[in-house]
Amino acid sequence: MGDIYMLADTIILGKIGEKLKSVRLKQNITQQSLAEAANVSLSTIKKIENGEIRSFDSFLRVLRILGKLDVLQPLIDKEEMSPSEYYNFVHAAQKAARKRAGGKIGLNKKEKSEW
């Protein structure tokens, strides 16, 4: 397909809508039954399939019912640190740790309190 960054948003939304419609039809699901299962209106399903995705919440519901929610997995996965990133993180934390004062307090030198 090429570089997705070169496509206009409306083209991307249209392709997503087409794909969702294709998935729905392959699973032999009507628009009405998808709407009911996803708890959205029939017009919302029609709009999504036409590339008019206005509500992310509705979009998530439709993906879940169609079994395609996993396409978003990379967005919620925790990124692992590389060994060098971990090393830098640990050493930065050690440098930022609070240090105690180096001077000693004389045991015999007590300040007089005004209390």
Side-chain angles (χ1 to χ4, degrees), residues 23 30 68 75 81 84-85 89 102 104:
V23 169
T30 65
K68 295 296 180 182
L75 295 176
M81 282 193 234
S84 62
E85 288 173 326
F89 174 75
K104 299 205 177 212

Side-chain angles (χ1 to χ4, degrees), residues 18-83:
E18 290 171 10
K19 181 67 173 185
L20 290 177
K21 181 177 182 178
S22 173
V23 169
R24 176 183 61 79
L25 292 173
K26 284 180 184 175
Q27 295 181 16
N28 200 26
I29 300 173
T30 65
Q31 287 180 325
Q32 182 64 43
S33 61
L34 177 59
E36 290 170 4
N39 201 25
V40 297
S41 68
L42 176 60
S43 65
T44 296
I45 297 299
K46 290 179 179 182
K47 287 178 182 178
I48 288 173
E49 289 184 355
N50 287 326
E52 299 173 35
I53 303 170
R54 303 287 182 243
S55 167
F56 193 70
D57 181 53
S58 298
F59 179 61
L60 286 177
R61 291 177 186 192
V62 169
L63 286 176
R64 185 181 308 277
I65 298 302
L66 293 175
K68 295 296 180 182
L69 197 57
D70 58 325
V71 300
L72 301 176
Q73 189 69 43
L75 295 176
I76 61 171
D77 282 343
K78 182 179 175 184
E79 291 186 27
E80 298 294 324
M81 282 193 234
S82 71

